Amino acid sequence: MYGDGTRCVHGGETEPASGEPFMPGPVFAAPYHLGGSDRLGDSDFYGRSGNPTWRALETAIGDLDGGQCLLLPSGMAAIGTLLRAVLHAGDVLVLPTDGYYATREFVRIELSELHLEVREVPTAGPFPDGVFDGARLVLLETPSNPGLDVCDIAALAERAHAAGALVAVDNTTATPLGQRPLELGADAVLASDTKALCGHSDLLLGHVSVRDEDLARRLVRVRTLSGAIPAPFETWLAHRSMATLDLRLARQAENAAALAEALSGHRAVSGVRWPGMPSDPAHEVAGRQMRRWGGVLRFELRDAEAVRRLVSRSRLVSGATSFGGVHSTVDRRAQWGDPVPEGFVRFSAGCEDTEDLVADVLAALD
Ligand SMILES: *Cc1c(COP(=O)(O)O)cnc(C)c1O
């Protein structure tokens, strides 16, 4: 088995051919030629059902996830597609209280007609006895966004399976290089590839990977019938971006480690959390199930004004939501209604030089 960098560069590639590019260009087609006039065999016939540019990236990501990958136009499309494929009216759904806010909104507003019983549990637990009883689906998010709490995927999957539930993991903050939930027992892994996988803050994309053939077929059906399909050019850009994922994550994690350390001792900063830090409450569990650390950390400043000052005085860090890009960014999560203090910062470490970034942030805080 090749290492992460090799798999990122070569994943989903076609056989080398003289005079052809390393990566074939995006295939733009609404309909495809049918040859004669009737459809023959399994070839593509209409762009909503299949596209070779999707399949190349699905091969690459599926190889990293260890499952069959289904590409979707955004992380929310991945979540929506999975929930629509799995849930029936009256089902029990277990969600994190502290995960990505739009997931809870989607369930509360868009799935209200299913009259689900939603049980919300914090990512750090505890998961009370019986919480999975009668559940159809347990959705975990680890490390959670924005709090970076961690749960034990293998232990929870075992408990959920014993209760007859399926387990899905939102793997956005970890990426397929940081964590392989299918290998830890999850039935589905999904992610917003808008974040680190694409990594240049310029496109939206998502995916779901599964091992069960029947679940894969149901997911494809929801994608095809709902029309929530990725565009070929975005898909091609994502595949191009993925080649450097290993390199970008390495620098981002190095920067996050240096910042977590520098900020932990700073008098204007409290509550620094980064799962890679040995003193972090999530470090032990994360270390058991994660393959590498990510570039996102969190901390608190006194108030909203202090966060605004940090961003305006910094020369390298911008205020922006989202995370995982090559630029370092700060997001004050309370502005979006996350249940966190006013001065709570989710910091996405970019690919700047570590020395430059740490010096810039410390200067902006002083
Ligand atoms: C951003 C995010 C999503 C949604 O992804 P989009 O690509 O913005 O639709 C879902 N889950 C997590 C954990 C996220 O951070």
Side-chain angles (χ1 to χ4, degrees):
M1 183 72 84
Y2 288 124
D4 286 354
T6 310
R7 295 166 84 190
C8 285
V9 171
H10 289 279
E13 71 186 357
T14 44
E15 283 296 311
S18 238
E20 294 295 325
F22 284 97
M23 201 171 101
V27 173
F28 298 109
Y32 302 85
H33 287 292
L34 291 180
S37 70
D38 282 337
R39 188 178 170 212
L40 294 172
D42 284 336
S43 63
D44 289 323
F45 65 101
Y46 191 59
R48 181 154 44 74
S49 312
N51 181 295
T53 310
W54 300 350
R55 288 194 292 274
L57 182 56
E58 286 172 339
T59 301
I61 298 176
D63 174 56
L64 295 177
D65 273 339
Q68 184 176 336
C69 170
L70 184 89
L71 211 60
L72 291 145
S74 67
M76 279 316 297
I79 290 165
T81 299
L82 178 74
L83 295 182
R84 292 217 181 267
V86 168
L87 295 173
H88 302 88
D91 275 351
V92 174
L93 169 67
V94 181
L95 285 182
T97 50
D98 50 347
Y100 189 60
Y101 73 102
T103 303
R104 293 190 301 277
E105 293 273 285
F106 178 76
V107 168
R108 188 173 61 80
I109 300 168
E110 294 304 320
L111 297 185
S112 61
E113 76 274 20
L114 288 183
H115 303 290
L116 302 170
E117 181 189 331
V118 180
R119 299 178 190 155
E120 293 195 5
V121 188
T123 297
F127 287 76
D129 281 346
V131 71
F132 300 145
D133 288 356
R136 173 84 60 189
L137 178 68
V138 175
L139 177 63
L140 306 172
E141 186 180 309
T142 179
S144 61
N145 170 19
L148 303 178
D149 273 320
V150 167
C151 59
D152 185 331
I153 297 172
L156 292 171
E158 202 174 308
R159 280 179 59 188
H161 288 157
L166 291 172
V167 175
V169 176
D170 185 328
N171 204 35
T172 302
T173 52
T175 83
L177 293 189
Q179 186 167 266
R180 303 220 175 104
L182 297 177
E183 289 177 0
L184 298 166
D187 303 283
V189 55
L190 61 91
S192 166
D193 301 320
T194 307
K195 314 292 166 53
L197 192 133
C198 291
H200 292 74
S201 311
D202 53 9
L203 60 97
L204 288 104
L205 208 69
H207 79 272
V208 185
S209 293
V210 298
R211 285 180 169 172
D212 182 73
E213 291 282 333
D214 181 58
L215 182 53
R217 266 193 299 275
R218 276 184 285 156
L219 288 164
V220 170
R221 189 177 64 204
V222 175
R223 178 176 70 178
T224 305
L225 294 180
S226 70
I229 56 161
F233 188 61
E234 264 74 358
T235 304
W236 184 84
L237 282 174
H239 201 159
R240 180 187 190 280
S241 304
M242 198 188 121
T244 55
L245 177 59
D246 174 60
L247 295 172
R248 286 184 281 108
L249 277 182
R251 174 61 66 83
Q252 287 170 341
E254 234 174 88
N255 284 349
L259 280 168
E261 195 190 323
L263 295 178
S264 290
H266 198 285
R267 60 190 157 68
V269 181
S270 64
V272 179
R273 293 281 312 266
W274 182 62
M277 196 162 51
S279 61
D280 192 277
H283 184 71
E284 200 264 325
V285 183
R288 263 190 281 135
Q289 68 189 8
M290 294 185 71
R291 303 176 64 251
R292 61 203 285 166
W293 307 118
V296 181
L297 62 149
R298 62 166 253 207
F299 54 86
E300 275 163 53
L301 301 183
R302 192 174 34 188
D303 51 20
E305 185 48 34
V307 181
R308 270 191 285 276
R309 270 200 309 271
L310 166 65
V311 174
S312 68
R313 289 176 183 171
S314 159
R315 299 174 66 180
L316 297 178
V317 180
S318 308
T321 193
S322 197
F323 56 89
V326 292
H327 297 76
S328 287
T329 56
V330 155
D331 194 12
R332 194 178 70 78
R333 289 305 303 177
Q335 70 184 305
W336 309 108
D338 274 357
V340 293
E342 286 298 316
F344 180 105
V345 170
R346 186 185 64 205
F347 192 104
S348 177
C351 293
E352 297 89 355
D353 283 299
T354 307
E355 220 173 281
D356 294 341
L357 183 60
V358 172
D360 179 74
V361 169
L362 290 180
L365 282 172
D366 285 340

